[in-house]
Amino acid sequence: MAAGVATWLPFARAAAVGWLPLAKKIMPKPPVDKKSRNDEILFVNVSGLRFQTWKNTLDRYPDTLLGSSEKEFFYNEDTQEYFFDRDPEMFRHILNFYRTGKLHYPRQECIQAFDEELAFYGIVPDIIGDCCMEEYRDRKKENQERLAEDTEAENATDTPLPPHSTSRERLWRAFENPHTSTMALVFYYVTGFFIAVSVIANVVETVPCRPPKGSKKDLPCGEKYTLAFFCMDTACVLIFTFEYLMRLFAAPSRCKFMRSVMSVIDVVAIMPYYIGLVMPENEDVSGAFVTLRVFRVFRIFKFSRHSQGLRILGYTLKSCASELGFLLFSLTMAIIIFATVMFYAEKGTKGTNFTSIPASFWYTIVTMTTLGYGDMVPNTIAGKIFGSICSLSGVLVIALPVPVIVSNFSRIYHQNQRADKMRAQQKVRLARIRLAKKGTTNAFLHYKEEGGFQDRDSDNALCLKNRSSFEHQHHHLLHCLEKTTNHEFTDELTFSEMCMTESVGYRTSRSTSISSQQGVSTSCCPRRGKRRAIRLANSTVSVSRGSIQELDTLQVHKTSAGPQSRSSLNARTEDLKLNCEDRDFTAAIISIPTPPANTPDESLPPSPAIPGILRNSRSTFFTHETVKISSL
Amino acid sequence: TSRAPKKQILKSSNDNYCNSSDSDLELSTVRHQPEGLEQLQAQTKFTKKELQSLYRGFKNECPSGLVDEETFKTIYSQFFPQGDATTYAHFLFNAFDLDRNGSIRFEDFVIGLSVLLRGSVTEKLNWAFNLYDINKDGYITKEEMLLIMKSIYDMMGRYTYPSVRDEAPSEHVEKFFQKMDRNRDGVVTIEEFIETCQKDEEVTRHTWDQ
């Protein structure tokens, strides 16, 4: 409810006294506010910036975070304030919303950051005030467009094919993305070449050539070198037919393919030839045959497969269909009006060109588009007056929809350019992602190779090896999985080596403990069934520093250790000292420091990692890790 | 257990830009606020501070208060870069999502954690059984176990030593059933499961002392 309404509620309730004398039944008892407190000032600390506000102010909107009991989760007993680890600048706007009832969108902020803050505080963006709503929506739309394109670029079909694709799928892919294979590229260029040849042939065959001996008249080249042109035409049509049939065969959905624009163009490009073959050399139908040859010019549209710009143009026209329609409609209206007027104005003149209204259409169009051929001119005064009005209005009517079309084209063109840039960068990005993934795995393998699981009595420092507690725990998790399945992680290189040397039974040197267990895979778990012993005769990867004040990273482990892992889930703090003694490897990566005595400062229990990895404020390595993981 | 009514703010779903370029963008969120601290304290074995800390992390990652399956899968997969953790994450998600409504709320999350971290042996075994019992009918069949097993082996990925053979999961399942299925009826019931695990030294050795 709006702030105003909530404030006036006591007044409305007090005014209900007026109903008392009239009531038919007994009035219900008023609700007892159990926890009614006098209004107090609350302190809200957002990343160090302290805000103070009345409690009532926040209570105005009970379905948001600050207005409900949800804020109790963020209450800090010691400092008696609510602490939020969020952006203090944005919080100003959020708090203003509670105070004034209107949410404003700060123009200099990033739209996504703003949205995230709103989501965190539980405020629905719909209540942005009218003053800022438009700007907000525009920015949001723009952002969403960009994101949609990004995801499209990511799913771009430059991704490698799934391993088991049929030849049909591969063929289709080769057609759609010529850069994927050299064969496709060759085919792409060949078809392009033949389209060009065909179009040029069409054009050249109408050029007048020198007449053959004994004739005075100039002959078009087409008729002089009939055979040559016919052969060229046949070759082109053969190629086009072949291409069309191959595409038809490879298309995943043939019906959809046949309805698509490009395939229609393909058909129209090759049909005249076949019809010409089939049709007899008859005088009557040869007229129609000639018309059919006009359709051969449609071959030029086949270039749109080869040219991005053409496609953009076509797409722009399609998206501006409504504007174009409006233009056409208004033009038609104006033409009819002016043609009628001109016709009647010039009717009286002798020998006038304006013989009928349809004849006047031509004059109107030529005048409105400011062409002015001069083959039809008005003679009467009235005709001239209306003629001038016609040309003036023509400029206006045509100029109106054009900017819309232009802006559309510009937007689409820019989008396309960005998409291309994204595609180019995508390769780099994919490589980076793969590197990050490998980094994590390599860290684990590296750790194993260095005998991380060896029994260590001596140097505690060695166990640490400069890794954050997060890394420790993550490695532990991976190790538990290894133990569950009794297989080890390796990297690609060693894997391929092993594949080659498997028959020889050659074992690469691994950490001894593990390899020794490998051999006894069948016997190592005689009575355990599913659960592999996570027991290691060697050290634990017990979590980092001796005094774990706050283990923020919490990885709950289900399967790998099963029942026996539960034990150390209850591990007490002292158990988690860095000892490299013989312990069961348990899934307990959670250490909840039970007595505060162990923890010098504010011991905060582990925060969940299932929804994500929380910050371990002490681990400087952490942010690096998060970056690594989040880039996956 | 009686729960206070959850506050849910549901609006129409986000309209895809491509569908309605001109019409207003539906700005929406599905939000969920958790029950109060006191109620959660009563339902779980966490202290107030622990709950606060858990919630802060949860809320940071999921401001809407709900984790849907896709997000869960993405997050879980990040821990196993070499393999494919999505199938297993799916089973895990169902184990956490107690009321099977497709999203994990903070309460589900915290209750699950409470069982896993602070629960008794029996409770934890119950939880594990619930995880394996995919259709939650009280019996673990070989097919269910095989699915779980395969999903675990999937997480290992391709590059393992020795390389995972195709029969590895089913062999593993056979061993499991040999051990667990006392009356050889082809299914493992909760009693067989708990009984067998409790007899298992590994389990009991470190879970007795709590």
Side-chain angles (χ1 to χ4, degrees):
Chain A
M1 284 213 290
V5 177
T7 327
W8 287 103
L9 184 61
F11 173 77
R13 291 184 70 213
V17 167
W19 302 336
L20 270 175
L22 312 170
K24 281 197 180 157
K25 300 250 176 85
I26 310 179
M27 290 288 194
K29 284 209 172 56
V32 176
D33 195 0
K34 291 195 198 81
K35 289 206 285 186
S36 72
R37 272 179 284 191
N38 285 334
D39 204 4
E40 45 174 337
I41 291 193
L42 297 182
F43 298 97
V44 180
N45 186 340
V46 184
S47 301
L49 207 60
R50 275 185 110 221
F51 294 88
Q52 298 176 10
T53 180
W54 290 113
K55 184 172 183 306
N56 277 352
T57 313
L58 294 181
D59 284 344
R60 281 188 196 150
Y61 299 97
D63 46 8
T64 59
L65 188 155
L66 290 170
S68 66
S69 62
E70 201 182 336
K71 63 177 183 284
E72 301 302 325
F73 282 99
F74 298 89
Y75 188 68
N76 192 342
E77 303 280 352
D78 307 314
T79 50
Q80 299 274 317
E81 62 187 11
Y82 295 91
F83 181 77
F84 293 99
D85 202 7
R86 312 286 299 189
D87 189 352
E89 302 298 328
M90 299 269 214
F91 188 74
R92 209 166 50 81
H93 301 282
I94 307 274
L95 200 51
N96 275 340
F97 163 63
Y98 286 90
R99 292 182 183 135
T100 63
K102 286 205 271 283
L103 181 63
H104 294 278
Y105 167 59
R107 277 167 179 69
Q108 74 277 13
E109 300 286 352
C110 168
I111 184 84
Q112 256 191 310
F114 187 67
D115 266 348
E116 277 171 16
E117 291 297 312
L118 287 186
F120 181 83
Y121 291 108
I123 298 174
V124 185
D126 284 352
I127 40 185
I128 292 186
D130 286 337
C131 39
C132 300
M133 185 51 127
E134 203 179 306
E135 166 92 18
Y136 175 78
R137 286 206 167 201
D138 285 344
R139 293 273 293 262
K140 186 134 190 215
K141 211 194 261 205
E142 201 184 303
N143 199 35
Q144 276 191 339
E145 259 183 66
R146 196 168 298 153
L147 282 179
E149 269 168 42
D150 287 354
T151 44
E152 238 185 75
E154 265 176 38
N155 299 338
T157 36
D158 274 12
T159 50
L161 266 183
H164 310 295
S165 55
T166 65
S167 65
R168 192 172 148 186
E169 287 172 15
R170 264 178 296 175
L171 198 61
W172 179 247
R173 216 156 162 268
F175 274 125
E176 292 298 300
N177 297 70
H179 351 278
T180 45
S181 78
T182 4
M183 267 306 292
L185 209 56
V186 163
F187 188 71
Y188 175 77
Y189 283 125
V190 162
T191 41
F193 173 71
F194 272 100
I195 296 174
V197 160
S198 159
V199 170
I200 293 177
N202 275 354
V203 167
V204 166
E205 74 180 0
T206 59
V207 170
C209 284
R210 244 173 322 148
K213 290 204 182 59
S215 167
K216 282 275 166 33
K217 213 170 50 157
D218 256 347
L219 227 56
C221 280
E223 288 176 30
K224 190 169 170 198
Y225 303 102
T226 325
L227 194 58
F229 279 106
F230 181 72
C231 289
M232 214 179 308
D233 204 25
T234 316
C236 294
V237 170
L238 277 178
I239 301 264
F240 297 152
T241 319
F242 174 69
E243 183 201 353
Y244 179 70
L245 289 175
M246 293 300 286
R247 274 183 205 264
L248 193 62
F249 166 67
S253 152
R254 300 221 168 101
C255 296
K256 201 170 84 146
F257 174 72
M258 290 186 67
R259 283 199 298 254
S260 74
V261 175
M262 287 311 303
S263 92
V264 166
I265 291 179
D266 286 340
V267 171
V268 168
I270 59 180
M271 277 325 263
Y273 177 81
Y274 289 111
I275 296 182
L277 279 185
V278 167
M279 273 204 321
E281 289 295 332
N282 202 335
E283 272 303 318
D284 295 332
V285 285
S286 70
F289 174 60
V290 166
T291 332
L292 235 66
R293 296 185 109 208
V294 169
F295 281 99
R296 289 189 307 171
V297 84
F298 276 88
R299 288 183 195 162
I300 206 170
F301 283 117
K302 284 169 71 76
F303 264 130
S304 61
R305 274 215 185 91
H306 299 252
S307 154
Q308 182 91 329
L310 260 184
R311 277 202 298 265
I312 295 178
L313 195 60
Y315 182 66
T316 313
L317 290 177
K318 200 165 62 156
S319 71
C320 302
S322 61
E323 280 84 21
L324 284 176
F326 164 67
L327 174 63
L328 216 60
F329 178 67
S330 56
L331 266 181
T332 315
M333 258 181 29
I335 288 174
I336 294 178
I337 292 175
F338 279 111
T340 316
V341 167
M342 290 307 294
F343 172 71
Y344 283 113
E346 290 287 309
K347 197 159 180 203
T349 322
K350 270 200 170 29
T352 184
N353 280 334
F354 296 79
T355 49
S356 65
I357 295 189
S360 314
F361 282 168
W362 173 244
Y363 168 76
T364 323
I365 293 177
V366 168
T367 315
M368 280 184 94
T369 52
T370 71
L371 272 177
Y373 287 133
D375 53 350
M376 283 165 83
V377 283
N379 287 329
T380 59
I381 303 223
K384 287 190 176 150
I385 293 177
F386 286 117
S388 33
I389 297 179
C390 174
S391 57
L392 286 173
S393 65
V395 175
L396 279 176
V397 169
I398 293 184
L400 279 175
V402 169
V404 179
I405 298 175
V406 166
S407 77
N408 253 1
F409 178 79
S410 153
R411 184 174 59 91
I412 294 173
Y413 182 69
H414 281 301
Q415 268 181 15
N416 221 287
Q417 284 211 313
R418 268 197 44 245
D420 282 345
K421 244 191 286 179
M422 296 247 53
R423 257 185 285 263
Q425 288 174 350
Q426 199 211 343
K427 286 212 176 118
V428 179
R429 222 177 338 147
L430 273 181
R432 226 188 312 139
I433 290 174
R434 246 176 273 135
L435 210 66
K437 266 201 185 161
K438 268 178 101 176
T440 330
T441 333
N442 282 348
F444 180 56
L445 296 172
H446 193 65
Y447 171 73
K448 282 203 311 181
E449 271 168 38
E450 294 180 350
F453 303 139
Q454 293 291 352
D455 196 355
R456 282 182 209 282
D457 290 324
S458 53
D459 211 338
N460 283 354
L462 236 79
C463 287
L464 290 181
K465 261 273 180 178
N466 253 357
R467 293 177 319 151
S468 64
S469 70
F470 170 76
E471 253 195 334
H472 276 284
Q473 294 174 352
H474 190 209
H475 291 172
H476 180 242
L477 179 66
L478 293 175
H479 198 78
C480 289
L481 183 60
E482 284 187 337
K483 290 299 153 200
T484 310
T485 56
N486 204 24
H487 290 75
E488 279 173 41
F489 286 109
T490 65
D491 57 14
E492 217 172 315
L493 224 56
T494 3
F495 181 68
S496 35
E497 278 174 30
M498 271 187 277
C499 283
M500 291 192 287
T501 60
E502 222 166 36
S503 48
V504 188
Y506 165 78
R507 290 248 169 87
T508 58
S509 63
R510 325 197 60 78
S511 357
T512 58
S513 56
I514 298 171
S515 57
S516 63
Q517 285 201 0
Q518 286 302 332
V520 290
S521 56
T522 44
S523 60
C524 87
C525 312
R527 300 164 300 149
R528 306 217 188 291
K530 171 181 194 256
R531 308 280 182 271
R532 302 289 171 175
I534 307 247
R535 165 210 312 239
L536 283 206
N538 6 44
S539 79
T540 83
V541 192
S542 53
V543 207
S544 57
R545 341 280 165 187
S547 60
I548 296 184
Q549 293 98 354
E550 41 183 13
L551 254 193
D552 297 329
T553 51
L554 177 151
Q555 297 172 1
V556 183
H557 213 18
K558 307 306 160 290
T559 66
S560 69
Q564 66 256 40
S565 71
R566 308 287 180 233
S567 62
S568 58
L569 293 179
N570 297 321
R572 285 173 272 281
T573 3
E574 48 267 22
D575 293 342
L576 296 166
K577 284 200 270 287
L578 185 63
N579 49 5
C580 303
E581 13 173 275
D582 200 325
R583 284 180 68 81
D584 260 23
F585 241 163
T586 52
I589 315 182
I590 310 124
S591 84
I592 299 186
T594 32
N598 269 9
T599 65
D601 44 294
E602 209 62 58
S603 77
L604 297 174
S607 341
I610 291 298
I613 308 295
L614 250 213
R615 276 172 275 288
N616 179 352
S617 51
R618 270 149 249 273
S619 154
T620 53
F621 208 64
F622 177 71
T623 42
H624 174 53
E625 285 294 332
T626 355
V627 167
K628 262 209 278 185
I629 293 292
S630 61
S631 67
L632 287 179
Chain B
T1 59
S2 65
R3 295 188 174 188
K6 314 280 182 315
K7 299 167 211 162
Q8 274 203 331
I9 298 136
L10 252 143
K11 297 264 184 193
S12 49
S13 62
N14 245 335
D15 225 358
N16 192 356
Y17 164 74
C18 304
N19 294 342
S20 61
S21 50
D22 293 334
S23 69
D24 283 347
L25 287 172
E26 309 270 326
L27 311 162
S28 72
T29 38
V30 172
R31 265 198 68 238
H32 174 75
Q33 281 183 344
E35 302 173 2
L37 260 180
E38 293 81 23
Q39 282 141 315
L40 280 180
Q41 258 186 293
Q43 285 172 349
T44 66
K45 300 201 176 102
F46 291 119
T47 68
K48 193 163 170 175
K49 280 230 168 76
E50 291 166 343
L51 282 174
Q52 280 186 329
S53 177
L54 283 170
Y55 186 71
R56 278 202 289 275
F58 187 82
K59 175 87 177 169
N60 217 14
E61 296 299 323
C62 310
S64 64
L66 297 168
V67 188
D68 66 338
E69 193 167 334
E70 282 316 306
T71 321
F72 188 80
K73 280 184 180 166
T74 321
I75 292 167
Y76 199 73
S77 306
Q78 292 174 355
F79 295 114
F80 303 98
Q82 279 202 320
D84 173 26
T86 48
T87 330
Y88 184 67
H90 168 76
F91 296 130
L92 208 53
F93 185 84
N94 283 339
F96 267 113
D97 183 15
L98 301 170
D99 45 7
R100 311 300 295 270
N101 63 351
S103 55
I104 299 183
R105 308 161 303 164
F106 180 62
E107 292 92 335
D108 300 332
F109 175 71
V110 140
I111 289 174
L113 269 187
S114 169
V115 166
L116 290 170
L117 302 184
R118 303 261 163 98
S120 66
V121 178
T122 324
E123 286 174 1
K124 291 174 187 172
L125 291 177
N126 255 316
W127 196 93
F129 186 87
N130 190 42
L131 172 69
Y132 305 140
D133 183 11
I134 297 177
N135 56 359
K136 317 285 177 221
D137 63 352
Y139 301 104
I140 304 180
T141 63
K142 280 201 176 145
E143 291 76 26
E144 290 174 337
M145 207 59 222
L146 189 60
L147 286 174
I148 301 259
M149 202 64 77
K150 278 205 187 128
S151 68
I152 295 178
Y153 276 88
D154 280 344
M155 288 200 283
M156 293 295 296
R158 277 187 64 212
Y159 305 121
T160 57
Y161 171 77
S163 61
V164 176
R165 294 163 301 130
D166 289 334
E167 316 83 46
S170 17
E171 284 173 9
H172 208 153
V173 171
E174 283 307 315
K175 286 213 193 87
F176 175 75
F177 266 79
Q178 268 171 28
K179 185 180 170 200
M180 295 281 167
D181 190 7
R182 287 294 158 81
N183 53 1
R184 306 277 165 230
D185 59 355
V187 293
V188 176
T189 63
I190 180 78
E191 294 84 18
E192 289 174 337
F193 183 72
I194 293 184
E195 212 185 302
T196 317
C197 288
Q198 285 190 330
K199 290 220 186 79
D200 192 335
E201 288 174 10
E202 282 300 308
V203 179
T204 58
R205 178 177 2 151
H206 292 276
T207 52
W208 272 156
D209 45 20
Q210 297 193 7

